[in-house]
Amino acid sequence: MSTPDCLLSLAIYTRQSLAHDDEFSSCDAQFEICHEFITANRSKGWVWCGRRYDDAGQSGERLDRPAMSQLLDDLRRGHVDGLVVHRLDRLSRKLIDLTALLTELRTRNIPLLIVTDPTLGTSATDTLVLNILGSFTEFEREMIRDRLADTRAAMKRKGLRVAGKVPYGYTTDPHTKQLVVHRQQAKRVKAFFEWAVEGQTPAAIAAIANARRWLTNPSPKKPSGGRWTPRQVADILANPVYRGQIHTANGPAPGTHEAIIPVELFERVREVIAGRRVSTTPRGKAVLAWPLRGLVVCGRCGRTMSTSVIHHRHFRYRHYRCRSHAGGRPPCKGIAVPAHELEQWVIRELSSLSPDQFRLPQRRQEVTDFQSLWAMLSEKEQIENLAAVVEQVRFDPARSKIQLSLRAGAVGAVAGIIAKREQAREPEPRRSRRKRSPADKPLGTG
Ligand SMILES: [Zn+2]
């Protein structure tokens, strides 16, 4: 018997799954067979490495078995020169894992010797088998991909949600992953749509929501939710998920989740938004001389009070005064209220009056909204916009009582002012930054 040039230190790997605990498949039985196989080939320099790698009661479905992990570790560190197994399926029952293992062995130049099929150890066959296994793996991956695509398509056809961000107003069922209405958020979404159909802009709606301290869904940047932006509100108003549809490649399709917004309301909001023209409010409006002109009503006769100015020395006294001859009756005598005091009183009362004290058909929530928004305006803005929010100031000198009523659109008006102000602080929109075409050039220059 010739002496081998060099010794090949071989590891023996055995695995026995729980399902088959007969004697022939036990780790010991596999080890004996493998060890005999090595001994029989001693002339080639084969020796057992002296350490056992036995995974008893381990499934072949997974690679993270204790002995397998140890074996891979030792292979990578170069502690063994080759690997002996009884059957190929001892390594793994999963093609994908098996291929990964075989590829690693091959790249590390570590021979794999299979007792039941010794020819597999030869390089030509090895390569062929690897290729076949590789294509099987590839095929399996394709199959999985196709199956996933089929499943997604089938789910969409059935109106089921597949994946993606959960829209505000919904949460997901932990088991089915389908959309479930989030009661509190859904109420808010509904409010957005109701305000929008009343003509509020997304910016105004965002301002109201922020005044109510409603928060958006958490995001990586704002883990506890953030302030609403007009963009986010506009996205909600345009999202067909709220009318019960889902997004598909071919556009919105009926979903299986519960709608938050009735179809008619959703459509009406869409029309309102589509029909909205760019408003052209004049800028740099001067502070009005008479912020409540035409709004003050005489409490005695019920007629509108006129504006009246008395000049005395260097001073100018403004009053709202009952001077009307409407209805053929003479004006009430001595009914006049200093304008500045009345205006300041109204401004103060607008933010501090209890909702109950407004003589108005308005709901409490609306008055509360109005007041929190009103308080966000500067004094100048408040004076400028008194006429936009106040419907009537009723002055009753007999009972020294003043009653206020708000316009129906008061909340939206103030929200709009705040929104406009916040937008003005942001960088100019792209539209106004666009390059001037020659036609835009002012005449008479250059
Ligand atoms: Zn009067």
Side-chain angles (χ1 to χ4, degrees):
M1 192 198 271
S2 60
T3 324
D5 295 341
C6 66
L7 294 176
L8 213 55
S9 168
L10 300 174
I12 296 172
Y13 176 76
T14 68
R15 179 178 65 80
Q16 181 200 15
S17 56
L18 279 174
H20 310 280
D21 53 359
D22 55 283
E23 238 176 278
F24 293 105
S25 66
S26 75
C27 287
D28 281 341
Q30 290 174 42
F31 179 81
E32 284 310 317
I33 295 165
C34 291
H35 194 262
E36 270 174 34
F37 180 66
I38 293 172
T39 313
N41 286 282
R42 191 180 285 156
S43 60
K44 296 178 186 165
W46 294 7
V47 288
W48 176 48
C49 70
R51 178 169 189 175
R52 283 186 65 160
Y53 302 93
D54 302 317
D55 273 324
Q58 296 284 329
S59 160
E61 292 294 313
R62 298 153 51 125
L63 258 192
D64 57 345
R65 304 163 227 145
M68 174 56 80
S69 303
Q70 185 61 54
L71 171 66
L72 286 172
D73 222 39
D74 291 348
L75 286 172
R76 286 166 189 158
R77 285 162 197 262
H79 293 177
V80 290
D81 306 317
L83 178 59
V84 181
V85 289
H86 180 230
R87 280 202 324 255
L88 193 59
D89 67 2
R90 295 300 91 192
L91 288 175
S92 175
R93 283 203 178 276
K94 279 178 105 178
L95 278 177
I96 201 159
D97 289 340
L98 191 55
T99 313
L101 255 176
L102 293 179
T103 309
E104 176 158 1
L105 291 178
R106 193 164 59 158
T107 49
R108 289 181 186 278
N109 236 345
I110 296 169
L112 171 68
L113 306 156
I114 299 153
V115 180
T116 49
D117 188 1
T119 51
L120 204 60
T122 66
S123 62
T125 326
D126 191 31
T127 308
L128 176 66
V129 167
L130 270 176
N131 284 341
I132 293 170
L133 286 178
S135 29
F136 265 121
T137 314
E138 194 71 7
F139 177 68
E140 197 178 44
R141 275 205 208 102
E142 292 283 329
M143 288 282 286
I144 291 168
R145 225 179 353 245
D146 286 354
R147 266 203 303 274
L148 277 178
D150 283 352
T151 312
R152 290 170 73 99
M155 283 174 81
K156 291 230 166 186
R157 270 199 304 278
K158 286 179 189 159
L160 293 169
R161 178 177 164 272
V162 176
K165 228 170 90 181
V166 180
Y168 185 86
Y170 289 98
T171 146
T172 49
D173 183 291
H175 301 295
T176 66
K177 304 288 174 214
Q178 296 306 305
L179 295 179
V180 180
V181 171
H182 183 297
R183 293 292 153 203
Q184 188 202 39
Q185 290 187 355
K187 271 188 198 162
R188 296 172 176 185
V189 170
K190 208 160 183 191
F192 286 4
F193 277 85
E194 280 162 2
W195 292 334
V197 87
E198 285 166 13
Q200 312 287 9
T201 62
I205 293 168
I208 300 172
N210 292 330
R212 288 196 187 180
R213 299 185 190 284
W214 291 355
L215 294 175
T216 62
N217 267 340
S219 65
K221 270 189 184 173
K222 285 165 185 163
S224 47
R227 286 167 63 80
W228 288 90
T229 65
R231 178 79 253 161
Q232 288 167 322
V233 174
D235 285 347
I236 283 194
L237 297 177
N239 192 343
V241 76
Y242 297 115
R243 53 168 288 182
Q245 294 182 323
I246 55 161
H247 293 286
T248 71
N250 304 318
T256 53
H257 61 280
E258 190 184 335
I260 292 176
I261 305 301
V263 177
E264 314 82 65
L265 178 58
F266 187 90
E267 286 303 321
R268 268 164 63 211
V269 167
R270 213 219 300 257
E271 282 162 23
V272 167
I273 291 170
R276 181 171 292 128
R277 280 186 226 118
V278 182
S279 67
T280 50
T281 34
R283 289 193 170 253
K285 210 170 23 172
V287 175
L288 292 169
W290 295 95
L292 292 173
R293 188 198 291 270
L295 302 175
V296 187
V297 168
C298 171
R300 190 178 294 170
C301 66
R303 292 173 293 188
T304 305
M305 291 169 88
S306 313
T307 57
S308 146
V309 182
I310 299 166
H311 293 274
H312 182 65
R313 292 192 186 159
H314 298 296
F315 299 99
R316 182 172 164 268
Y317 298 94
R318 295 190 301 123
H319 286 81
Y320 292 95
R321 187 182 293 272
C322 183
R323 291 205 301 197
S324 174
H325 289 269
R329 288 172 291 150
C332 310
K333 264 200 180 134
I335 303 277
V337 53
H340 183 73
E341 281 168 39
L342 182 65
E343 287 150 14
Q344 289 303 313
W345 180 86
V346 169
I347 285 170
R348 242 186 358 259
E349 290 304 288
L350 282 176
S351 41
S352 61
L353 204 62
S354 145
D356 299 328
Q357 289 172 268
F358 281 88
R359 55 174 284 276
L360 243 221
Q362 258 117 9
R363 284 174 298 141
R364 287 183 71 91
Q365 180 63 62
E366 213 173 325
V367 174
T368 314
D369 284 346
F370 172 80
Q371 290 182 324
S372 43
L373 288 166
W374 182 253
M376 290 164 73
L377 296 183
S378 70
E379 201 180 331
K380 184 168 169 281
E381 286 171 324
Q382 289 178 338
I383 294 173
E384 279 173 358
N385 293 286
L386 267 183
V389 300
V390 172
E391 186 177 62
Q392 199 183 75
V393 184
R394 195 177 182 90
F395 176 67
D396 190 349
R399 290 181 288 163
S400 48
K401 204 173 155 194
I402 311 175
Q403 282 186 308
L404 263 179
S405 55
L406 284 179
R407 286 186 188 279
V411 176
V414 182
I417 295 158
I418 293 165
K420 217 170 266 175
R421 188 176 68 190
E422 283 179 6
Q423 276 174 336
R425 279 204 208 119
E426 284 176 12
E428 283 286 293
R430 217 184 324 153
R431 195 166 53 86
S432 56
R433 239 196 263 157
R434 97 197 132 99
K435 235 175 147 183
R436 278 188 169 193
S437 68
D440 288 338
K441 225 176 197 168
L443 294 169
T445 56

